[in-house]
Coordinates of all heavy atoms in Angstrom, one line a residue:
G287 N -16.2 -1.3 -18.3 CA -17.1 -0.2 -17.7 C -16.4 0.4 -16.5 O -15.3 -0.1 -16.1
V288 N -17.1 1.4 -15.9 CA -16.5 2.1 -14.8 C -17.5 2.0 -13.6 O -18.7 2.3 -13.8 CB -16.3 3.6 -15.1 CG1 -15.6 4.3 -14.0 CG2 -15.5 3.7 -16.4
G289 N -17.0 1.7 -12.4 CA -17.8 1.8 -11.2 C -17.3 2.8 -10.3 O -16.1 2.8 -9.9
I290 N -18.2 3.7 -9.9 CA -17.7 4.8 -8.9 C -18.4 4.6 -7.6 O -19.6 4.5 -7.5 CB -18.2 6.2 -9.5 CG1 -17.7 6.4 -10.9 CG2 -17.6 7.3 -8.6 CD1 -18.3 7.7 -11.5
S291 N -17.5 4.6 -6.6 CA -18.0 4.5 -5.2 C -17.9 6.0 -4.6 O -16.9 6.6 -4.7 CB -17.1 3.6 -4.4 OG -17.3 3.8 -3.0
S292 N -19.0 6.5 -4.1 CA -19.0 7.9 -3.6 C -19.8 8.0 -2.3 O -20.7 7.2 -2.1 CB -19.7 8.8 -4.7 OG -20.1 10.0 -4.1
P293 N -19.5 9.0 -1.5 CA -20.3 9.2 -0.3 C -21.7 9.6 -0.7 O -21.9 10.2 -1.8 CB -19.7 10.4 0.4 CG -18.3 10.6 -0.2 CD -18.4 10.0 -1.6
G294 N -22.7 9.1 0.0 CA -24.1 9.5 -0.3 C -24.5 10.7 0.6 O -23.7 11.3 1.3
P295 N -25.8 11.2 0.4 CA -26.8 10.6 -0.5 C -26.5 10.8 -1.9 O -25.9 11.8 -2.3 CB -28.1 11.3 0.0 CG -27.6 12.6 0.6 CD -26.3 12.3 1.2
L296 N -26.9 9.8 -2.7 CA -26.8 10.0 -4.2 C -27.9 9.2 -4.9 O -28.6 8.4 -4.3 CB -25.4 9.5 -4.7 CG -24.9 8.0 -4.3 CD1 -25.6 7.0 -5.1 CD2 -23.4 7.9 -4.5
D297 N -28.1 9.5 -6.2 CA -29.1 8.8 -7.0 C -28.4 7.9 -7.9 O -27.8 8.3 -8.9 CB -29.9 9.9 -7.7 CG -31.0 9.2 -8.6 OD1 -30.8 8.1 -9.0 OD2 -31.9 9.9 -8.9
P298 N -28.4 6.5 -7.6 CA -27.6 5.6 -8.4 C -28.2 5.4 -9.8 O -27.5 5.0 -10.7 CB -27.8 4.3 -7.6 CG -29.0 4.4 -6.8 CD -29.2 5.9 -6.5
W299 N -29.5 5.7 -10.0 CA -30.1 5.5 -11.3 C -29.7 6.6 -12.3 O -29.4 6.4 -13.4 CB -31.6 5.4 -11.2 CG -32.0 4.3 -10.3 CD1 -32.0 3.0 -10.6 CD2 -32.4 4.4 -8.9 NE1 -32.4 2.2 -9.6 CE2 -32.7 3.0 -8.5 CE3 -32.6 5.4 -8.0 CZ2 -33.1 2.7 -7.2 CZ3 -33.1 5.1 -6.7 CH2 -33.3 3.8 -6.3
R300 N -29.8 7.8 -11.8 CA -29.4 9.0 -12.7 C -27.9 9.3 -12.5 O -27.4 10.1 -13.3 CB -30.3 10.2 -12.3 CG -31.7 10.0 -12.8 CD -32.6 11.2 -12.7 NE -32.7 11.5 -11.3 CZ -33.1 12.7 -10.8 NH1 -33.2 13.7 -11.6 NH2 -33.2 12.9 -9.5
G301 N -27.3 8.7 -11.6 CA -25.8 8.9 -11.4 C -25.5 10.3 -10.9 O -24.5 10.9 -11.3
I302 N -26.3 10.8 -9.9 CA -26.1 12.1 -9.4 C -25.7 12.0 -7.9 O -26.4 11.4 -7.1 CB -27.4 12.9 -9.6 CG1 -27.6 13.2 -11.0 CG2 -27.4 14.2 -8.8 CD1 -28.9 13.8 -11.4
V303 N -24.6 12.7 -7.6 CA -24.2 12.9 -6.2 C -25.1 14.0 -5.6 O -25.0 15.1 -6.1 CB -22.7 13.2 -6.1 CG1 -22.3 13.4 -4.6 CG2 -21.9 12.1 -6.7
V304 N -25.9 13.7 -4.6 CA -26.9 14.7 -4.1 C -26.3 15.7 -3.2 O -26.4 16.9 -3.5 CB -28.1 13.9 -3.5 CG1 -29.1 14.9 -3.0 CG2 -28.8 13.0 -4.5
A305 N -25.8 15.4 -2.1 CA -25.3 16.4 -1.1 C -24.5 15.7 0.0 O -25.0 15.7 1.2 CB -26.5 17.2 -0.5
P306 N -23.4 15.1 -0.3 CA -22.7 14.4 0.8 C -22.1 15.4 1.8 O -21.4 16.4 1.4 CB -21.5 13.6 0.1 CG -21.5 14.1 -1.3 CD -22.7 15.0 -1.5
P307 N -22.3 15.1 3.1 CA -21.7 16.1 4.1 C -20.2 16.2 4.1 O -19.7 17.2 4.4 CB -22.2 15.5 5.5 CG -22.8 14.2 5.2 CD -23.0 14.0 3.7
N308 N -19.5 15.2 3.6 CA -18.0 15.3 3.6 C -17.4 15.6 2.2 O -16.2 15.4 2.0 CB -17.4 14.0 4.2 CG -17.9 12.7 3.5 OD1 -18.8 12.8 2.7 ND2 -17.3 11.6 3.9
L309 N -18.2 16.2 1.3 CA -17.7 16.7 0.1 C -18.2 18.2 0.0 O -19.4 18.4 -0.5 CB -18.1 15.9 -1.2 CG -17.4 14.6 -1.4 CD1 -18.0 13.9 -2.6 CD2 -15.9 14.7 -1.6
V310 N -17.4 19.1 0.4 CA -17.9 20.5 0.5 C -18.3 21.0 -0.9 O -17.5 20.9 -1.9 CB -16.8 21.4 1.1 CG1 -17.3 22.8 1.1 CG2 -16.6 20.9 2.6
G311 N -19.5 21.6 -1.0 CA -19.9 22.2 -2.3 C -20.6 21.3 -3.3 O -21.0 21.7 -4.3
W312 N -20.6 20.0 -2.9 CA -21.2 19.0 -3.9 C -22.7 19.0 -3.7 O -23.2 18.6 -2.6 CB -20.6 17.6 -3.7 CG -19.2 17.6 -4.3 CD1 -18.1 18.3 -3.9 CD2 -18.8 16.7 -5.3 NE1 -17.1 18.0 -4.7 CE2 -17.4 17.0 -5.6 CE3 -19.4 15.7 -6.1 CZ2 -16.7 16.3 -6.5 CZ3 -18.7 15.0 -7.0 CH2 -17.3 15.3 -7.3
R313 N -23.4 19.5 -4.7 CA -24.9 19.4 -4.6 C -25.5 19.1 -6.0 O -25.2 19.8 -6.9 CB -25.4 20.8 -4.1 CG -26.7 20.6 -3.4 CD -27.3 21.9 -2.8 NE -28.7 21.6 -2.6 CZ -29.1 20.8 -1.6 NH1 -28.3 20.4 -0.6 NH2 -30.4 20.6 -1.4
D314 N -26.2 18.0 -6.1 CA -26.7 17.5 -7.3 C -25.7 17.5 -8.5 O -26.0 18.1 -9.5 CB -28.0 18.4 -7.7 CG -29.1 18.2 -6.6 OD1 -29.2 17.1 -6.1 OD2 -29.8 19.2 -6.4
V315 N -24.6 16.8 -8.2 CA -23.5 16.8 -9.3 C -23.7 15.6 -10.1 O -23.7 14.4 -9.6 CB -22.2 16.7 -8.6 CG1 -21.1 16.6 -9.6 CG2 -21.9 18.0 -7.7
P316 N -23.9 15.8 -11.5 CA -24.1 14.6 -12.4 C -22.7 13.9 -12.7 O -22.2 14.0 -13.8 CB -24.7 15.3 -13.6 CG -24.2 16.7 -13.6 CD -24.0 17.1 -12.2
L317 N -22.2 13.2 -11.7 CA -20.9 12.7 -11.8 C -20.8 11.6 -12.8 O -19.8 11.4 -13.5 CB -20.4 12.2 -10.4 CG -19.0 11.6 -10.3 CD1 -18.0 12.6 -10.7 CD2 -18.7 11.1 -8.9
R318 N -21.8 10.7 -12.8 CA -21.8 9.6 -13.8 C -21.6 10.1 -15.2 O -20.7 9.6 -15.9 CB -23.1 8.8 -13.6 CG -23.0 7.4 -14.3 CD -23.7 7.4 -15.6 NE -25.0 7.9 -15.6 CZ -26.1 7.2 -15.3 NH1 -26.0 5.9 -15.0 NH2 -27.3 7.7 -15.4
E319 N -22.4 11.1 -15.6 CA -22.4 11.6 -16.9 C -21.0 12.2 -17.2 O -20.4 12.0 -18.3 CB -23.4 12.7 -17.0 CG -23.9 13.0 -18.4 CD -25.1 14.0 -18.3 OE1 -26.1 13.6 -17.8 OE2 -24.9 15.1 -18.8
A320 N -20.4 12.9 -16.3 CA -19.1 13.6 -16.5 C -18.0 12.5 -16.7 O -17.2 12.7 -17.6 CB -18.8 14.5 -15.3
I321 N -18.0 11.5 -15.9 CA -17.0 10.5 -16.0 C -17.2 9.6 -17.3 O -16.3 9.3 -18.0 CB -16.9 9.6 -14.7 CG1 -16.5 10.5 -13.5 CG2 -15.9 8.5 -14.9 CD1 -15.2 11.2 -13.7
A322 N -18.5 9.3 -17.6 CA -18.8 8.5 -18.8 C -18.3 9.3 -20.0 O -17.7 8.7 -20.9 CB -20.3 8.2 -18.8
G323 N -18.5 10.6 -20.0 CA -18.1 11.4 -21.1 C -16.6 11.5 -21.3 O -16.1 11.4 -22.4
S324 N -15.9 11.6 -20.2 CA -14.4 11.7 -20.3 C -13.8 10.3 -20.6 O -12.7 10.3 -21.2 CB -13.8 12.4 -19.1 OG -13.6 11.5 -18.1
L325 N -14.4 9.2 -20.2 CA -13.7 7.9 -20.5 C -14.4 7.1 -21.6 O -13.8 6.2 -22.1 CB -13.8 7.1 -19.2 CG -13.0 7.6 -18.0 CD1 -13.2 6.8 -16.7 CD2 -11.5 7.7 -18.3
G326 N -15.6 7.5 -22.0 CA -16.2 6.8 -23.1 C -16.6 5.4 -22.8 O -16.6 4.5 -23.7
L327 N -16.9 5.1 -21.5 CA -17.3 3.8 -21.1 C -18.6 3.8 -20.3 O -18.9 4.8 -19.7 CB -16.2 3.2 -20.2 CG -14.9 2.7 -20.8 CD1 -13.9 2.4 -19.7 CD2 -15.1 1.5 -21.7
P328 N -19.4 2.7 -20.3 CA -20.6 2.7 -19.5 C -20.1 2.9 -18.0 O -19.2 2.2 -17.6 CB -21.1 1.2 -19.6 CG -20.5 0.7 -20.9 CD -19.2 1.5 -21.1
T329 N -20.8 3.8 -17.3 CA -20.3 4.2 -16.0 C -21.5 4.1 -15.0 O -22.6 4.5 -15.3 CB -19.8 5.6 -16.1 OG1 -18.7 5.6 -17.0 CG2 -19.3 6.1 -14.7
F330 N -21.2 3.7 -13.8 CA -22.3 3.5 -12.8 C -21.8 4.1 -11.4 O -20.6 3.9 -11.1 CB -22.6 2.0 -12.6 CG -23.0 1.4 -13.9 CD1 -22.0 0.8 -14.7 CD2 -24.3 1.5 -14.4 CE1 -22.3 0.2 -16.0 CE2 -24.6 1.0 -15.6 CZ -23.6 0.3 -16.4
L331 N -22.7 4.7 -10.7 CA -22.4 5.4 -9.5 C -23.2 4.7 -8.4 O -24.3 4.3 -8.5 CB -22.9 6.8 -9.6 CG -22.7 7.7 -8.4 CD1 -21.3 8.0 -8.1 CD2 -23.5 9.0 -8.6
E332 N -22.5 4.4 -7.3 CA -23.2 3.8 -6.1 C -22.6 4.3 -4.8 O -21.4 4.7 -4.7 CB -23.1 2.3 -6.2 CG -23.9 1.5 -5.2 CD -25.4 1.9 -5.1 OE1 -26.2 1.4 -5.9 OE2 -25.7 2.8 -4.3
R333 N -23.4 4.4 -3.8 CA -23.0 4.8 -2.5 C -21.9 3.9 -1.9 O -22.0 2.7 -2.1 CB -24.2 4.8 -1.5 CG -24.0 5.6 -0.2 CD -25.3 5.6 0.5 NE -25.7 4.2 0.9 CZ -26.8 4.0 1.6 NH1 -27.5 4.9 2.1 NH2 -27.1 2.7 1.9
D334 N -20.9 4.5 -1.2 CA -19.7 3.7 -0.8 C -20.1 2.5 0.0 O -19.6 1.4 -0.2 CB -18.8 4.6 0.0 CG -19.4 5.6 1.0 OD1 -20.6 5.4 1.3 OD2 -18.8 6.5 1.4
T335 N -21.1 2.7 1.0 CA -21.4 1.5 1.8 C -22.1 0.4 1.0 O -21.9 -0.8 1.2 CB -22.3 1.9 3.0 OG1 -23.4 2.7 2.4 CG2 -21.6 2.6 4.0
N336 N -22.9 0.8 0.0 CA -23.5 -0.2 -0.9 C -22.4 -1.0 -1.7 O -22.5 -2.2 -2.0 CB -24.5 0.4 -1.8 CG -25.8 0.8 -1.1 OD1 -26.0 0.3 0.0 ND2 -26.6 1.6 -1.7
V337 N -21.4 -0.2 -2.2 CA -20.3 -0.9 -3.0 C -19.6 -1.9 -2.1 O -19.3 -3.0 -2.5 CB -19.4 0.2 -3.5 CG1 -18.1 -0.4 -4.1 CG2 -20.1 1.1 -4.5
A338 N -19.3 -1.4 -0.8 CA -18.6 -2.3 0.1 C -19.4 -3.6 0.4 O -18.9 -4.7 0.5 CB -18.2 -1.5 1.3
A339 N -20.7 -3.3 0.7 CA -21.6 -4.5 1.0 C -21.6 -5.5 -0.1 O -21.6 -6.7 0.1 CB -23.0 -4.0 1.3
R340 N -21.7 -4.9 -1.4 CA -21.7 -5.8 -2.6 C -20.4 -6.6 -2.6 O -20.5 -7.8 -2.9 CB -21.8 -4.9 -3.8 CG -22.5 -5.5 -4.9 CD -24.0 -5.7 -4.7 NE -24.8 -5.1 -5.7 CZ -25.5 -3.9 -5.5 NH1 -25.5 -3.4 -4.3 NH2 -26.1 -3.4 -6.5
A341 N -19.3 -6.0 -2.3 CA -18.0 -6.7 -2.4 C -18.0 -7.8 -1.3 O -17.6 -9.0 -1.6 CB -16.9 -5.8 -2.2
E342 N -18.4 -7.5 -0.1 CA -18.3 -8.5 1.0 C -19.3 -9.6 0.7 O -19.1 -10.8 1.1 CB -18.6 -7.8 2.3 CG -17.5 -6.9 2.8 CD -16.2 -7.6 3.3 OE1 -16.2 -8.8 3.4 OE2 -15.2 -6.9 3.5
W343 N -20.4 -9.3 0.1 CA -21.4 -10.3 -0.2 C -20.9 -11.2 -1.3 O -21.1 -12.5 -1.2 CB -22.7 -9.5 -0.7 CG -23.8 -10.4 -1.1 CD1 -24.2 -11.7 -0.6 CD2 -24.8 -10.2 -2.1 NE1 -25.3 -12.1 -1.2 CE2 -25.7 -11.2 -2.1 CE3 -25.0 -9.1 -3.0 CZ2 -26.8 -11.3 -3.0 CZ3 -26.1 -9.1 -3.8 CH2 -27.0 -10.2 -3.8
R344 N -20.4 -10.7 -2.4 CA -20.0 -11.5 -3.5 C -18.7 -12.3 -3.2 O -18.5 -13.4 -3.6 CB -19.8 -10.7 -4.7 CG -21.1 -10.0 -5.2 CD -22.1 -11.1 -5.7 NE -21.6 -11.9 -6.8 CZ -21.8 -11.5 -8.1 NH1 -22.4 -10.3 -8.3 NH2 -21.3 -12.2 -9.0
Y345 N -17.7 -11.6 -2.5 CA -16.4 -12.2 -2.4 C -15.8 -12.3 -1.0 O -14.7 -12.8 -0.8 CB -15.4 -11.4 -3.2 CG -15.8 -10.9 -4.6 CD1 -16.0 -9.6 -4.9 CD2 -16.1 -11.9 -5.6 CE1 -16.4 -9.2 -6.1 CE2 -16.6 -11.5 -6.8 CZ -16.7 -10.1 -7.1 OH -17.2 -9.7 -8.3
G346 N -16.5 -11.7 0.0 CA -15.9 -11.5 1.3 C -16.5 -12.3 2.4 O -16.9 -13.5 2.3
A347 N -16.7 -11.6 3.5 CA -17.2 -12.2 4.8 C -18.7 -12.7 4.7 O -19.1 -13.5 5.6 CB -17.1 -11.2 5.9
A348 N -19.4 -12.3 3.7 CA -20.8 -12.7 3.6 C -21.1 -13.5 2.4 O -22.3 -13.6 2.0 CB -21.7 -11.4 3.6
R349 N -20.1 -14.1 1.9 CA -20.2 -15.0 0.7 C -21.2 -16.1 1.0 O -21.3 -16.6 2.1 CB -18.9 -15.7 0.4 CG -18.3 -15.2 -0.9 CD -17.1 -16.1 -1.3 NE -16.6 -16.9 -0.2 CZ -15.5 -16.6 0.5 NH1 -14.7 -15.6 0.2 NH2 -15.1 -17.5 1.5
D350 N -22.0 -16.5 0.0 CA -23.0 -17.6 0.2 C -24.1 -17.3 1.2 O -24.6 -18.2 1.7 CB -22.2 -18.9 0.6 CG -21.1 -19.2 -0.4 OD1 -21.3 -19.0 -1.6 OD2 -20.1 -19.7 0.0
T351 N -24.4 -16.0 1.4 CA -25.6 -15.7 2.2 C -26.6 -15.0 1.3 O -26.2 -14.4 0.3 CB -25.2 -14.9 3.4 OG1 -24.8 -13.6 3.0 CG2 -24.2 -15.5 4.3
R352 N -27.8 -14.9 1.8 CA -28.9 -14.2 1.0 C -29.4 -13.0 1.9 O -30.1 -12.1 1.3 CB -30.0 -15.1 0.7 CG -29.7 -16.1 -0.4 CD -30.9 -17.0 -0.6 NE -32.1 -16.3 -1.1 CZ -32.3 -15.9 -2.4 NH1 -31.4 -16.1 -3.3 NH2 -33.4 -15.3 -2.7
D353 N -29.1 -13.0 3.2 CA -29.6 -11.9 4.0 C -28.4 -11.4 4.9 O -28.0 -12.1 5.8 CB -30.7 -12.4 4.9 CG -31.9 -12.8 4.1 OD1 -32.8 -11.9 3.8 OD2 -32.0 -14.0 3.6
L354 N -28.0 -10.2 4.6 CA -26.8 -9.7 5.3 C -26.9 -8.2 5.5 O -27.6 -7.5 4.8 CB -25.5 -10.0 4.5 CG -25.4 -9.3 3.2 CD1 -24.2 -8.2 3.2 CD2 -25.1 -10.3 2.1
V355 N -26.3 -7.8 6.5 CA -26.2 -6.3 6.8 C -24.7 -6.0 6.9 O -23.9 -6.8 7.5 CB -26.9 -6.0 8.1 CG1 -26.5 -4.6 8.6 CG2 -28.4 -6.1 7.9
Y356 N -24.3 -4.9 6.3 CA -22.9 -4.4 6.3 C -22.9 -3.1 7.1 O -23.8 -2.2 6.9 CB -22.4 -4.2 4.9 CG -21.0 -3.5 4.9 CD1 -19.9 -4.3 5.0 CD2 -20.9 -2.2 4.7 CE1 -18.6 -3.7 5.0 CE2 -19.6 -1.6 4.7 CZ -18.5 -2.4 4.8 OH -17.3 -1.8 4.8
I357 N -22.0 -3.0 8.1 CA -21.9 -1.8 8.9 C -20.4 -1.3 8.8 O -19.5 -2.2 9.0 CB -22.2 -2.1 10.4 CG1 -23.6 -2.7 10.5 CG2 -22.0 -0.9 11.2 CD1 -24.7 -1.7 10.4
T358 N -20.2 -0.1 8.6 CA -18.9 0.5 8.7 C -18.8 1.5 9.9 O -19.6 2.4 10.0 CB -18.4 1.1 7.4 OG1 -17.1 1.7 7.6 CG2 -19.4 2.1 6.8
V359 N -17.9 1.3 10.8 CA -17.7 2.2 11.9 C -16.4 2.9 11.8 O -15.3 2.3 11.9 CB -17.7 1.4 13.3 CG1 -17.7 2.3 14.5 CG2 -18.9 0.5 13.4
S360 N -16.4 4.2 11.4 CA -15.2 5.0 11.3 C -15.6 6.4 11.7 O -16.1 6.6 12.7 CB -14.6 4.8 9.9 OG -15.5 5.2 8.9
T361 N -15.2 7.4 10.8 CA -15.6 8.8 11.2 C -17.1 8.9 11.4 O -17.5 9.5 12.3 CB -15.2 9.7 10.0 OG1 -13.9 9.4 9.6 CG2 -15.3 11.1 10.4
G362 N -17.9 8.2 10.5 CA -19.3 8.1 10.7 C -19.7 6.6 10.9 O -18.8 5.8 10.9
I363 N -20.9 6.3 10.9 CA -21.4 4.9 10.9 C -22.3 4.7 9.7 O -23.3 5.4 9.6 CB -22.1 4.5 12.2 CG1 -21.1 4.6 13.3 CG2 -22.7 3.1 12.0 CD1 -21.7 4.2 14.7
G364 N -21.9 3.9 8.7 CA -22.7 3.7 7.5 C -23.2 2.3 7.5 O -22.7 1.4 8.2
G365 N -24.1 2.0 6.6 CA -24.6 0.7 6.5 C -25.3 0.4 5.2 O -25.5 1.3 4.3
A366 N -25.5 -0.9 4.9 CA -26.2 -1.3 3.7 C -26.8 -2.7 4.0 O -26.3 -3.4 4.9 CB -25.3 -1.4 2.5
A367 N -27.8 -3.1 3.3 CA -28.4 -4.5 3.5 C -28.7 -5.2 2.2 O -29.0 -4.5 1.2 CB -29.6 -4.3 4.4
V368 N -28.6 -6.5 2.3 CA -29.1 -7.3 1.2 C -30.1 -8.2 1.8 O -29.9 -8.9 2.8 CB -28.0 -8.2 0.6 CG1 -28.5 -9.2 -0.4 CG2 -26.9 -7.3 -0.1
I369 N -31.4 -8.2 1.3 CA -32.4 -9.0 1.9 C -33.0 -9.9 0.9 O -33.3 -9.5 -0.2 CB -33.6 -8.0 2.4 CG1 -33.0 -7.1 3.4 CG2 -34.8 -8.8 3.0 CD1 -32.4 -7.7 4.7

Side-chain angles (χ1 to χ4, degrees):
V288 185
I290 308 172
S291 163
S292 160
L296 56 75
D297 179 335
W299 300 284
R300 289 186 294 159
I302 290 172
V303 179
V304 177
N308 52 353
L309 286 175
V310 172
W312 284 60
R313 209 177 161 78
D314 297 327
V315 176
L317 181 61
R318 193 261 306 274
E319 204 176 293
I321 298 302
S324 80
L325 296 173
L327 286 171
T329 299
F330 305 93
L331 175 71
E332 188 52 87
R333 195 174 59 175
D334 44 14
T335 46
N336 285 344
V337 173
R340 210 68 125 253
E342 291 288 349
W343 178 33
R344 296 294 298 275
Y345 317 117
R349 246 187 350 252
D350 305 323
T351 64
R352 289 177 61 80
D353 294 271
L354 65 113
V355 165
Y356 174 83
I357 302 287
T358 171
V359 185
S360 58
T361 314
I363 295 182
V368 173
I369 301 301

